[in-house]
């Protein structure tokens, strides 16, 4: 069931009833599709172990893969941090001041006895203070309950997709991803502005470690805390195993079609080789989709050509939607032009490489 988080009258305003109903459902231990500025999350009360277990079940996600806990923006998110996290290093504090609320997740030492189920049994916890006004309104309502209701400190929310699949960036995506649960409440906050998941920085190893690139680049992170970032590979080389993160599994974010990355020249050569006859089967429809920044040419009717935006932020914003649209054409292959090897493209390049793996 999709419920709009907004009322549209003279302008656009938050719908208080929809926010209250969502907070109520979360308090009752139910799952909710929640908009954030990155992607939609499948949310539950982070301190309710039964509710958290139902997230893993709904996603088909292994229960030892930790979830991100989302906290309200009071005190810049600090009271939520104090509830879930133990010692917060100074550089992590600087990152919160610089980027919260926003698309940055920090892995911090977990306080004993809190959020264990959400953390998938790890002694750390991933915390994020999202910037989306709808997410913040729900988190604020949970933190300021009416008399007799318990305070909910945070909401565990992985991306609202089945394990290994493409993350949802609209309420409709969430609804179709969980088509077998038509009663799932999905709060519609519009299309996600960022479009790819948050940047994840592990703050438990003395220096900031980049676990997942996102809209906030490693350069921005390094500049904000005055420390250079360590990669998981460098940690491995030092004999310290990098923590487990499903968003860092080699194959993830995968559509049904096979994704292949190529440079523009190789793409055009491949199209030229196909000529006009891609598929001699009488079946109508497209066989191959191409998603490139460069303008390409083909005379084959069964090829769907789509242009990738040249601005990395715009490309991120539409990436998962485009992958879903191309999948809906039932193409067998999606050929994508490899994004530039620059920091601004790290997030998009990472998601595409995993979709292709
Ligand atoms: O933008 C986002 O981060 C979205 C929205 C909904 O906030 N959430 C998201 O969650 O992408 P998910 O579960 O799909 O990815 C979270 C990643 C996983 O790869 C998980 O393993 C890692 O964060 N993670 C969470 N807690 C962790 C911890 N304590 N240690 C290491 N990795 C952790
Ligand atoms: Mg995910």
């Amino acid at each position: 069931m999709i419920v709009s988080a907004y009322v549209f009258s003279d302008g656009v305003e938050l719908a208080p009833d929809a926010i209250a109903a969502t907070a109520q459902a979360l308090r009752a231990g139910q799952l909710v599709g929640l908009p954030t500025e990155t992607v939609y999350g499948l949310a539950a009360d982070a301190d309710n172990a039964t509710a958290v277990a139902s997230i893993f079940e709904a996603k088909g996600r292994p229960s030892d893969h930790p979830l991100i806990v989302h906290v309200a923006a009071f005190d810049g998110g600090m009271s939520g941090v104090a509830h879930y996290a133990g010692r917060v290093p100074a550089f992590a504090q600087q990152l919160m001041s610089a980027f919260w609320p926003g698309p940055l997740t920090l892995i911090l030492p977990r306080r004993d006895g809190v959020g264990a189920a959400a953390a998938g049994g790890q002694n750390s916890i991933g915390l994020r203070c999202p910037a989306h006004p709808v997410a913040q309104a729900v988190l604020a309502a949970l933190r300021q309950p009416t008399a007799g209701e318990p305070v909910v400190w945070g909401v565990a929310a992985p991306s609202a997709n089945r394990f290994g699949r493409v993350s949802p960036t609209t309420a409709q995506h969430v609804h179709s991803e969980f088509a077998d649960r038509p009663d799932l409440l999905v709060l519609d906050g519009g299309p996600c502005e960022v479009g790819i998941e948050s940047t994840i920085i592990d703050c438990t190893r003395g220096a900031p470690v980049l676990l997942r690139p996102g809209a906030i680049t490693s350069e921005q992170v390094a500049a904000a805390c005055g420390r250079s970032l360590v990669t998981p590979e460098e940690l491995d080389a030092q004999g310290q195993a990098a923590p487990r993160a499903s968003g860092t599994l080699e194959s993830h974010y995968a559509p049904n079609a096979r994704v292949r990355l190529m440079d523009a020249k190789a793409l055009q050569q491949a199209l030229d080789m196909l000529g006009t006859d891609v598929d001699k089967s009488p079946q109508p429809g497209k066989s191959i989709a191409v998603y490139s920044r460069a303008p390409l040419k083909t005379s084959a009717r069964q090829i769907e050509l789509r242009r990738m935006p040249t601005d990395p932020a715009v490309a991120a914003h539409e990436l998962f939607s485009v992958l879903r649209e191309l999948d809906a054409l039932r193409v067998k292959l999606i050929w994508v032009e490899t994004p530039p090897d620059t920091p601004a493209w790290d997030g998009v390049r990472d998601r595409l490489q995993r979709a292709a793996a």
Side-chain angles (χ1 to χ4, degrees):
M1 180 192 16
I2 299 181
V3 172
S4 177
Y6 296 110
V7 280
F8 303 89
S9 49
D10 283 348
V12 186
E13 277 170 44
L14 288 177
D17 294 353
I19 303 295
T22 305
Q24 191 47 49
L26 287 166
R27 244 185 237 117
Q30 287 166 25
L31 297 188
V32 166
L34 189 72
T36 83
E37 75 277 28
T38 56
V39 301
Y40 275 72
L42 188 63
D45 174 355
D47 291 288
N48 179 336
T50 314
V52 169
S54 62
I55 296 181
F56 287 101
E57 199 216 312
K59 278 190 61 110
R61 173 163 167 152
S63 62
D64 59 348
H65 283 217
L67 308 177
I68 293 172
V69 175
H70 300 70
V71 298
F74 297 146
D75 337 307
M78 279 321 293
S79 46
V81 171
H83 177 76
Y84 290 106
R87 208 184 53 81
V88 178
F91 72 82
Q93 199 80 56
Q94 286 169 317
L95 295 178
M96 289 176 210
S97 319
F99 300 112
W100 278 10
L104 178 72
T105 296
L106 301 177
I107 311 295
L108 294 164
R110 183 169 60 84
R111 252 184 64 217
D112 273 349
V114 292
Q122 318 244 0
N123 57 11
S124 60
I125 190 138
L127 295 180
R128 173 159 115 78
C129 181
H132 198 299
V134 171
Q136 277 303 333
V138 171
L139 290 166
L142 289 168
R143 281 292 305 280
Q144 295 180 308
T146 46
E149 290 169 331
V151 168
V152 172
W153 287 91
V155 153
S159 51
N161 52 278
R162 306 277 174 173
F163 186 61
R165 314 304 307 185
V166 176
S167 299
T169 54
T170 68
Q172 190 56 51
H173 292 165
V174 181
H175 186 69
S176 52
E177 196 76 20
F178 296 99
D180 58 329
R181 297 178 173 235
D183 54 331
L184 175 72
L185 171 63
V186 183
L187 190 56
D188 189 351
C192 303
E193 199 176 319
V194 175
I196 58 172
E197 303 81 354
S198 58
T199 305
I200 305 182
I201 303 291
D202 184 357
C203 303
T204 67
R205 280 147 206 281
V209 182
L210 178 70
L211 295 187
R212 180 173 73 184
I216 295 174
T217 65
S218 45
E219 288 174 329
Q220 287 174 292
V221 170
C225 67
R227 306 277 296 263
S228 44
L229 297 198
V230 180
T231 65
E233 293 73 34
E234 285 165 344
L235 271 189
D236 277 347
Q238 295 165 17
Q240 285 198 65
R244 183 195 246 312
S246 53
T248 64
L249 292 178
E250 197 187 349
S251 170
H252 214 68
Y253 314 111
N256 294 315
R258 291 187 68 97
V259 177
R260 220 180 127 190
L261 288 172
M262 286 179 265
D263 64 27
K265 200 172 147 209
L267 268 174
Q268 186 59 65
Q269 278 168 353
L271 289 173
D272 293 345
M273 250 151 59
L274 289 171
T276 46
D277 295 322
V278 177
D279 188 345
K280 294 209 169 68
S281 72
Q283 237 172 315
K286 308 280 186 180
S287 319
I288 302 176
V290 179
Y291 189 45
S292 67
R293 279 168 298 114
L296 301 174
K297 290 196 176 63
T298 178
S299 44
R301 274 169 298 122
Q302 281 160 321
I303 304 233
E304 172 79 4
L305 291 181
R306 284 277 300 249
R307 293 292 293 281
M308 185 191 291
T310 52
D311 177 335
V314 184
H317 171 75
E318 68 165 51
L319 179 68
F320 290 146
S321 264
V322 168
L323 290 179
R324 276 173 191 268
E325 282 166 33
L326 298 179
D327 241 0
L329 298 175
R330 302 193 173 279
V331 296
K332 296 181 198 77
L333 295 168
I334 304 175
W335 289 348
V336 183
E337 182 181 348
T338 312
D341 195 10
T342 57
W345 283 91
D346 281 351
V348 169
R349 194 163 7 82
D350 169 78
R351 300 314 185 276
L352 283 169
Q353 279 162 349
R354 290 180 208 289

